[in-house]
């Protein structure tokens, strides 16, 4: 949300700068005043929304997460080496990646 709002504000500012450059170059038209007023109002609305938007919470990672995964991967390596334990290893792998998604919000299941 914040990045989208920031991008929209930048786009509006570029439009305002374009109109101002045209006016400075002597290309003033009465319709430019209305368009400039509309863009200024749009910029203000976007900036107000952005200032009222909470910054995303920082991601808190368990400090032991890397060690826990290292141990699980080591266990999986030993299970995969044993033909009798492969089913157990497959189940353990699936438990690690059972229900995940990506940054675009797409979800998938491994089951």
């Amino acid at each position: 949300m914040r990045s989208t709002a920031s991008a929209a504000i930048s786009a509006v500012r570029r439009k305002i700068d374009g109109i101002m450059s045209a006016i400075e170059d002597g290309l003033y038209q009465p319709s430019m005043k209305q368009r400039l007023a509309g863009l200024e109002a749009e910029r203000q609305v976007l900036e107000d929304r952005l200032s009222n938007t909470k910054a995303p919470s920082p991601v808190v990672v368990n400090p032991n997460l890397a060690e826990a995964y290292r141990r699980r991967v080591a266990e999986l390596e030993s299970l995969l080496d044993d033909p009798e334990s492969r089913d157990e290893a497959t189940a353990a792998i699936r438990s690690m990646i059972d229900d995940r998604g990506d940054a675009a919000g797409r979800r998938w299941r491994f089951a």
Side-chain angles (χ1 to χ4, degrees):
M1 171 70 184
R2 291 184 69 80
S3 61
T4 304
S6 294
I9 291 170
S10 294
V12 169
R13 285 183 177 156
R14 282 191 301 276
K15 291 175 185 177
I16 291 170
D17 290 345
I19 290 174
M20 295 306 292
S21 293
I23 291 171
E24 289 169 353
D25 291 341
L27 301 174
Y28 179 76
Q29 297 291 323
S31 61
M32 294 171 103
K33 182 178 179 181
Q34 292 173 333
R35 178 71 174 136
L36 185 58
L39 288 169
E40 290 286 354
E42 182 180 350
R43 180 190 53 80
Q44 188 61 51
V45 167
L46 291 168
E47 287 178 349
D48 290 346
R49 277 192 204 147
L50 184 61
S51 68
N52 292 330
T53 303
K54 292 181 181 178
S57 301
V59 176
V60 179
V61 178
N62 182 330
N64 300 320
L65 184 64
E67 178 59 28
Y69 266 82
R70 187 198 63 72
R71 279 193 316 270
R72 287 185 81 178
V73 169
E75 291 170 10
L76 289 172
E77 286 176 349
S78 65
L79 289 173
L80 287 170
D81 287 340
D82 181 5
E84 294 178 13
S85 302
R86 282 204 176 111
D87 290 340
E88 184 182 345
T90 301
I93 291 169
R94 285 191 173 138
S95 76
M96 292 172 70
I97 56 173
D98 182 39
D99 184 13
R100 301 293 180 257
D102 62 12
R106 295 176 293 226
R107 307 296 294 175
W108 58 85
R109 285 192 65 75
F110 296 93

